[in-house]
Amino acid sequence: MKQELIKKAKQVRLLLMDVDGVLTDGKLYYDENGKELKSFHIQDGHAIKMLREAGIKTGLLSGRKSKAAEIRAKELLMEECHLGISDKVEQFEKIIKKLGLKESEVAYMGDDLPDLPLLKRVGFSLSVPNGVDEVKDQVDWVTKRPGGAGAVREAVDFILSARTGHHKAKPVGFLK
């Protein structure tokens, strides 16, 4: 099973992620003026920069619009940022066409039912332990770290180690 995961991870040229529950803990915070606040893990941000340095593109694909997520995507120089998307598969198809990628070259991290159709299409599908069971049962790998607490870093470490052949980073989450 690990060899199959390494093969899938080695092909990744684009990592797309849901926001709430993957890059964040999934909780919604509002200040007294109704302004939404989000908390992002610094290690996830560094991991996204590591992917860029390795020539792997990154992006957000979320059903919710969020100014905080938009700011974070710009700060991390993500190539794709699609927020408020009702049909993630349709947007995914536009992205891979634009970038000239195959489905097998895309990894996607999601945590809830709206992510399932896309998770079934990509080459390497990931979720987080705080995701819903229906999603966790369908993906290639569930990280050990929860969303908003370094799950993206864990996945990126594995993707990069698969590409270099230096398997320091091992999948520590649940393997299908």
Side-chain angles (χ1 to χ4, degrees):
M1 178 47 87
K2 182 180 175 192
Q3 285 306 114
E4 182 182 326
L5 287 178
I6 290 170
K7 182 179 176 184
K8 288 181 174 200
K10 195 177 212 176
Q11 294 182 59
V12 173
R13 295 180 54 204
L14 169 66
L15 172 63
L16 292 172
M17 297 154 279
D18 186 24
V19 176
D20 297 312
V22 173
L23 277 173
T24 74
D25 62 8
K27 297 175 184 171
L28 297 177
Y29 300 91
Y30 295 96
D31 70 10
E32 63 275 0
N33 298 315
K35 183 177 177 182
E36 182 182 65
L37 307 171
K38 290 192 182 292
S39 173
F40 298 96
H41 199 288
I42 197 74
Q43 289 178 1
D44 289 341
H46 183 66
I48 290 165
K49 290 178 183 179
M50 290 166 45
L51 283 179
R52 187 177 61 252
E53 290 169 4
I56 299 173
K57 296 180 182 329
T58 59
L60 302 180
L61 199 51
S62 177
R64 293 189 74 249
K65 287 188 178 187
S66 165
K67 188 66 175 168
E70 183 181 330
I71 291 167
R72 187 67 172 148
K74 285 180 184 175
E75 179 181 66
L76 295 173
L77 305 176
M78 290 185 176
E79 288 83 2
E80 301 293 329
C81 181
H82 304 277
L83 307 173
I85 302 301
S86 58
D87 187 339
K88 292 183 180 186
V89 171
E90 180 181 331
Q91 188 63 47
F92 164 73
E93 289 172 348
K94 290 177 184 177
I95 292 167
I96 62 172
K97 183 177 181 181
K98 178 180 93 171
L99 298 176
L101 297 174
K102 300 174 193 166
E103 290 181 358
S104 62
E105 296 173 316
V106 180
Y108 181 68
M109 286 187 81
D111 70 316
D112 210 343
L113 296 177
D115 298 312
L116 262 180
L118 183 52
L119 287 164
K120 291 179 180 181
R121 294 276 301 268
V122 297
F124 189 32
S125 58
L126 305 108
S127 191
V128 291
N130 50 299
V132 299
D133 289 341
E134 294 89 344
V135 169
K136 293 187 293 186
D137 290 342
Q138 296 291 315
V139 297
D140 296 312
W141 180 25
V142 177
T143 61
K144 183 177 179 182
R145 293 181 178 183
V152 172
R153 174 60 183 265
E154 184 182 331
V156 167
D157 284 346
F158 184 72
I159 290 168
L160 293 177
S161 70
R163 293 187 91 191
T164 63
H166 298 103
H167 301 291
K168 285 183 185 176
K170 296 181 174 84
V172 294
F174 306 99
L175 302 178
K176 202 170 122 182

